[in-house]
Amino acid sequence: MRPINLTEPMPARVAIHQVSQWPLWMLAFRPFFLGGGLLAFLSVGYWLLILTGHASWHLSIPATLWHAHEMLFGFAGVVAVGFLLTAAQTWTGVPSISGKALMWLTFIWLAARLAFFVILPDIAHFNLYAALTLQVIWWLGAIAVLANMLLKANSKSNYPFLAILAVLYGLNVLYLILVLKQNMQLALGVVDTAVLVITLLVGIVAGRVLPFFTAKGLGLTAQVRTPKIDKAVMYLSILAITLFFINKLFLNTINPALVVATVAALHLVRAGFWWDSKVLRVPLLWSLHFSYLALGVGLMMVAFSFYSSAIQFKDALHLITIGTIGMMILAMMTRVSHGHTGRTLAIPHYMAVAFAFLLVAAITRSLLPFIIGPHLAWQISALLWLVAFSLFLIHCTPILTRRRVDGRRG
């Protein structure tokens, strides 16, 4: 009889260990970008089927609120975390999450997406409680990893990213609690606030990478820096978010429009300083510049929507969610996927088409509802979004799931 070796791993453990060694689990950007891209395609695809009457919706959360949750806290959230956990390794020199830990964190995020569709007749709102629980675990896990890296390196300049993720986590929890309490109006106010919080993250990241990427991509000898405007953007954005949150949830007599307009103007000034017409030759640059320009224009439209019914708040907000958040995410995921796998920044022509489609999608959703009708504008915009992210998945799935071309780990 063969003696029992207690040190020999069980087959299941061997399988998990082998899977955790796949290139997909080497750094956070790999599974989180892939998951974000898939969610962007599948959730908007389902949303388009609902809009066109080809799919029904019977869940306890209204379809519009599910769509908002998945786009902000599911899609934008996972891409932001993937970017930060990857960038933090470069900033601090502290190893980021990888292997089994990253695999389980990814599975928790995926389970939260699926939880919305799990209905137990004997337990009311089981899907919402399950999604809430899983989102809490995922956010806390991601924040803990980033905090550990930044605190180990005493990287104080990056502490604001911890605060932003913590605020997004808090807004996500509050959003789902309000949905459970059937307070849909306040829930929408929370998710709209989350959009502005993500614009704060975009503003900080853009201030760091856009001048650098532009100078490097165009072979310039110096970067265009705007340190005073950068600080003003951050502090005034925090004030604008606070006033907006108060307006939406507590006291609608508090009008954030003037502060929002000031932040918009500062973004437009920075966009002007950073602009160089030569970026039009480089898709990975013009996509970032146009997405940042959309932020200034979108925030200005949001500010005007408080004074005039000619500009609908939701239309203005979608210029930001599609034109800024969606397009910058698409461009950054493509760039980081190339850069962190040892590839050159040369991308196929169809990725430039993807960027252009997303820009047109933003314009269609935000500016054309009054001309061609809201429902048609929404459908066209969603279709363009789907084409853009399908092209991303075609191009970047092999990159994200294979080893670096230079043989290094990461």
Side-chain angles (χ1 to χ4, degrees):
M1 180 180 293
R2 179 177 179 268
I4 297 175
N5 185 354
L6 297 178
T7 63
E8 186 177 276
M10 298 297 290
R13 292 177 59 191
V14 171
I16 292 174
H17 177 73
Q18 290 175 343
V19 171
S20 68
Q21 299 303 305
W22 290 357
L24 181 63
W25 312 114
M26 287 182 175
L27 264 179
F29 78 93
R30 290 174 173 270
F32 288 175
F33 285 7
L34 182 58
L38 286 168
L39 181 63
F41 181 80
L42 294 174
S43 62
V44 172
Y46 189 37
W47 178 240
L48 180 59
L49 291 175
I50 294 171
L51 289 176
T52 56
H54 290 90
S56 57
W57 185 267
H58 303 292
L59 301 185
S60 52
I61 179 174
T64 52
L65 273 72
W66 167 79
H67 170 67
H69 182 277
E70 292 303 90
M71 287 294 94
L72 266 296
F73 299 116
F75 165 62
V78 78
V79 174
V81 168
F83 171 79
L84 290 175
L85 292 184
T86 301
Q89 181 168 288
T90 302
W91 298 334
T92 65
V94 177
S96 186
I97 187 172
S98 62
K100 290 181 183 178
L102 178 57
M103 185 173 70
W104 290 119
L105 193 61
T106 304
F107 287 165
I108 291 168
W109 174 84
L110 177 60
R113 314 280 67 80
L114 298 175
F116 282 103
F117 299 93
V118 179
I119 305 298
L120 296 183
D122 298 332
I123 304 178
H125 305 304
F126 171 82
N127 60 332
L128 296 181
Y129 284 111
L132 172 58
T133 301
L134 290 165
Q135 283 293 102
V136 166
I137 296 171
W138 182 78
W139 277 115
L140 291 180
I143 292 170
V145 173
L146 183 61
N148 178 63
M149 296 174 70
L150 299 183
L151 291 172
K152 272 187 177 179
N154 195 28
S155 184
K156 294 181 180 179
S157 63
N158 293 307
Y159 287 175
F161 293 121
L162 276 178
I164 290 172
L165 291 188
V167 170
L168 286 173
Y169 157 68
L171 290 173
N172 193 174
V173 171
L174 179 58
Y175 180 81
L176 289 174
I177 289 174
L178 288 171
V179 172
L180 278 164
K181 292 181 175 294
Q182 300 295 303
N183 198 330
M184 307 308 178
Q185 194 62 36
L186 289 184
L188 287 173
V190 169
V191 80
D192 291 343
T193 304
V195 172
L196 295 189
V197 174
I198 294 176
T199 66
L200 170 60
L201 176 61
V202 168
I204 295 174
V205 171
R208 293 189 179 193
V209 304
L210 252 179
F212 171 70
F213 287 168
T214 302
K216 185 177 180 181
L218 299 182
L220 305 178
T221 56
Q223 301 176 40
V224 179
R225 290 294 188 182
T226 55
K228 292 182 179 179
I229 300 178
D230 296 349
K231 286 186 177 180
V233 163
M234 184 172 73
Y235 292 123
L236 286 174
S237 293
I238 293 170
L239 177 59
I241 292 165
T242 304
L243 294 176
F244 184 89
F245 183 73
I246 293 171
N247 171 273
K248 290 292 183 179
L249 272 78
F250 301 109
L251 195 62
N252 59 13
T253 55
I254 298 293
N255 192 330
L258 182 59
V259 182
V260 173
T262 303
V263 174
L266 290 174
H267 281 304
L268 292 172
V269 169
R270 274 208 308 185
F273 277 124
W274 295 340
W275 175 255
D276 188 312
S277 61
K278 296 185 184 69
V279 304
L280 294 173
R281 305 172 189 168
V282 187
L284 281 175
L285 288 180
W286 65 249
S287 54
L288 291 173
H289 278 269
F290 282 137
S291 65
Y292 185 69
L293 177 63
L295 176 57
V297 176
L299 284 175
M300 194 64 76
M301 288 175 62
V302 167
F304 281 123
S305 72
F306 280 90
Y307 297 114
S308 173
S309 60
I311 298 177
Q312 295 295 310
F313 172 77
K314 286 298 182 183
D315 293 339
L317 202 69
H318 275 82
L319 182 58
I320 297 172
T321 55
I322 301 173
T324 295
I325 298 174
M327 189 170 171
M328 187 165 285
I329 280 176
L330 188 65
M332 288 296 289
M333 286 198 304
T334 304
R335 186 184 185 96
V336 171
S337 296
H338 275 251
H340 278 274
T341 58
R343 290 168 170 82
T344 67
L345 296 180
I347 61 172
H349 293 303
Y350 64 79
M351 282 309 301
V353 173
F355 300 150
F357 272 28
L358 210 52
L359 182 60
V360 176
I363 295 171
T364 301
R365 176 59 185 85
S366 58
L367 301 180
L368 295 188
F370 281 115
I371 300 173
I372 63 176
H375 207 62
L376 181 57
W378 300 345
Q379 292 178 39
I380 294 173
S381 179
L383 186 59
L384 290 168
W385 173 286
L386 289 176
V387 174
F389 277 93
S390 66
L391 293 175
F392 165 79
L393 290 170
I394 290 169
H395 175 57
C396 283
T397 297
I399 294 174
L400 294 169
T401 55
R402 294 173 184 170
R403 293 187 179 277
R404 290 178 60 109
V405 295
D406 56 11
R408 294 166 53 194
R409 181 174 176 80

